[in-house]
Amino acid sequence: ELTLHFAPMLCVLFLAAQMQAMLRSNNHQDPPLWMCNCMEVASAALIVQTLLAVLAPTLARRAEDGEGQPQLAAPMDAFDEDALVVRNGPGWIRAASAVAMTLLMATSAAVCAGILSLRMPTENGSGRVAPAVSYTVNLTLQLFVVHLVLAVAANTLPKQRGRSGSKILRVLKLAADTVFFAPALCVLFIGARVRALQVDGGQGLVQPWAAHGFGACSE
């Protein structure tokens, strides 16, 4: 469950990329090949991370019990929610978990950059990105950056004793709880964008007050 926390955000991000590519090409083209490859790698990395989290408890053995029998680690003990990686199990599982999470975040950031590069042509020649799409990218980056900073802090601050480290972790956990709503907001933004496309004949321009609402929710 913890490893699939990013799945809704990835789905909305991929949908935004497909929508932006289709609108830019009058429904004739998909996103560029490199963006599609990044989507595939991100999806595969998330699947691998989930499989590793399921596999780790069966390989991570605790100290033997009173009868000399090995005990398996509980699933919730195998995956570190804050560090976003498998913390128990053989070294190769921990290394593969770290690589999978790195690939997930790197490819997601690449998809965000690709979406912003798919600008729709305007009359003055400069491209534009729809507010719903740009704020979807905004929230996606917020979610991944917050969890990345939390993961770094969870892996480094425990080595430093004192109240300052625990306070930082508490603040970062509160930030992570806040961005939990990002996927739902992105679905709302994309839904408004789709409705605008139906109403104004393919331009997809939402009302200015709605665009300002997107910004207020995102910031």
Side-chain angles (χ1 to χ4, degrees), residues 138-159:
N138 185 336
L139 288 175
T140 301
L141 292 176
Q142 287 187 41
L143 185 143
F144 280 101
V145 168
V146 167
H147 281 89
L148 177 60
V149 174
L150 177 59
V152 173
N155 283 296
T156 57
L157 290 181
K159 300 178 183 178

Side-chain angles (χ1 to χ4, degrees), residues 49 68 75 85 140:
Q49 186 77 323
V85 294
T140 301

Side-chain angles (χ1 to χ4, degrees), residues 92-143:
W92 68 268
I93 286 187
R94 297 196 299 271
S97 177
V99 171
M101 186 54 60
T102 301
L103 286 175
L104 174 61
M105 292 194 172
T107 52
S108 299
V111 173
C112 290
I115 292 175
L116 295 179
S117 67
L118 296 175
R119 296 181 175 272
M120 298 178 60
T122 56
E123 295 180 357
N124 58 8
S126 61
R128 66 176 178 86
V129 177
V133 175
S134 62
Y135 286 121
T136 295
V137 172
N138 185 336
L139 288 175
T140 301
L141 292 176
Q142 287 187 41
L143 185 143

